[in-house]
Amino acid sequence: MRSAEITRQVLLRAALKLFAEEGFETVGVRDIGLRAKVDPSLVNRYYGGKDELFIEVVKACEADWRRLWGEKTDFAARVAKEMLQGGNDGKVLQGLLILLRVTGSGRARHLVDETLGSSMFGQVESWLDGPDTDVRARLLIALIGGMAFARDLSGDFPLKEARAAALAQAFEASIEQLLTSSPKPISQSIAPPLNRAVTS
């Protein structure tokens, strides 16, 4: 007989995969039960409903995301491996796809905002060193999230081996640039001066 905790974990994994594949709105309690190979009523029994299970999925994804950060020395290589070489069922990739797919659902966005707030940006800012951590944190998340989106669109990046290696190298280098503790300040590199009068 399956224990309650095992059933909870089976439901959580099934929900994570379904939300990553199909988004929040199209996935129902019945779909989750079928994917988990358990009675769908157990979603309500163990989690209270679809919304509550989705919140637990988001929390699990955030925990996986935090584990990915770790040491900065090999962070870029770890992310490149996860995003470009990992399987489609990689936890970090699935978590990013879930976050990308909530944009079409007001309810899902509300649940994510309630669960995470701005903590993701704040955590990355505090993890980074040097100037412009607020801007660099958002660029870093956008870069990684964008790679997840591109992979979702194209499958496993159908490139010849040499070009796939070039993609990985460029992706790593882009991440490294955002990690450096002494980059050229954003205001000097890309942002226009704020107080300069516009002349015609």
Side-chain angles (χ1 to χ4, degrees):
M1 186 172 176
R2 179 179 278 171
S3 74
E5 185 53 33
I6 290 173
T7 302
R8 284 179 60 85
Q9 290 304 313
V10 167
L11 286 167
L12 188 69
R13 284 193 298 271
L16 190 152
K17 289 183 179 181
L18 279 169
F19 289 136
E21 291 167 7
E22 301 178 27
F24 178 80
E25 294 294 346
T26 59
V27 174
V29 168
R30 179 173 168 75
D31 302 313
I32 296 166
L34 289 172
R35 177 67 68 94
K37 298 180 181 174
V38 301
D39 187 322
S41 68
L42 293 177
V43 172
N44 294 326
R45 179 176 174 185
Y46 289 117
Y47 287 98
K50 174 181 155 181
D51 285 9
E52 292 79 5
L53 178 52
F54 181 73
I55 287 170
E56 291 305 311
V57 165
V58 170
K59 287 179 180 176
C61 291
E62 184 190 24
D64 290 327
W65 177 252
R66 282 198 309 265
R67 278 193 289 275
L68 182 66
W69 295 106
E71 290 296 320
K72 293 186 191 74
T73 51
D74 61 346
F75 175 75
R78 288 199 315 275
V79 173
K81 184 175 181 181
E82 174 81 24
M83 290 292 103
L84 303 177
Q85 298 170 17
N88 289 331
D89 59 349
K91 288 183 179 179
V92 173
L93 179 60
Q94 286 185 334
L96 288 168
L97 292 177
I98 288 170
L99 292 178
L100 288 169
R101 288 195 170 96
V102 302
T103 56
S105 167
R107 179 67 186 152
R109 286 190 68 177
H110 174 72
L111 293 171
V112 169
D113 288 344
E114 275 190 343
T115 306
L116 299 181
S118 59
S119 64
M120 181 180 289
F121 292 130
Q123 288 168 18
V124 179
E125 283 179 43
S126 64
W127 183 73
L128 292 170
D129 300 316
D132 302 314
T133 56
D134 56 340
V135 174
R136 287 162 51 220
R138 284 154 180 78
L139 284 170
L140 187 58
I141 290 172
L143 177 64
I144 297 168
M147 188 59 77
F149 178 67
R151 179 170 174 174
D152 189 49
L153 285 177
S154 63
D156 289 325
F157 296 112
L159 292 170
K160 293 184 178 179
E161 190 174 338
R163 301 312 298 153
L167 174 64
Q169 186 177 12
F171 184 49
E172 256 188 76
S174 299
I175 293 171
E176 289 286 359
Q177 177 61 30
L178 292 170
L179 292 182
T180 183
S181 61
S182 56
K184 186 176 182 181
I186 301 293
S187 59
Q188 293 178 19
S189 59
I190 59 171
L194 296 178
N195 297 320
R196 183 178 292 174
V198 177
T199 57
S200 50

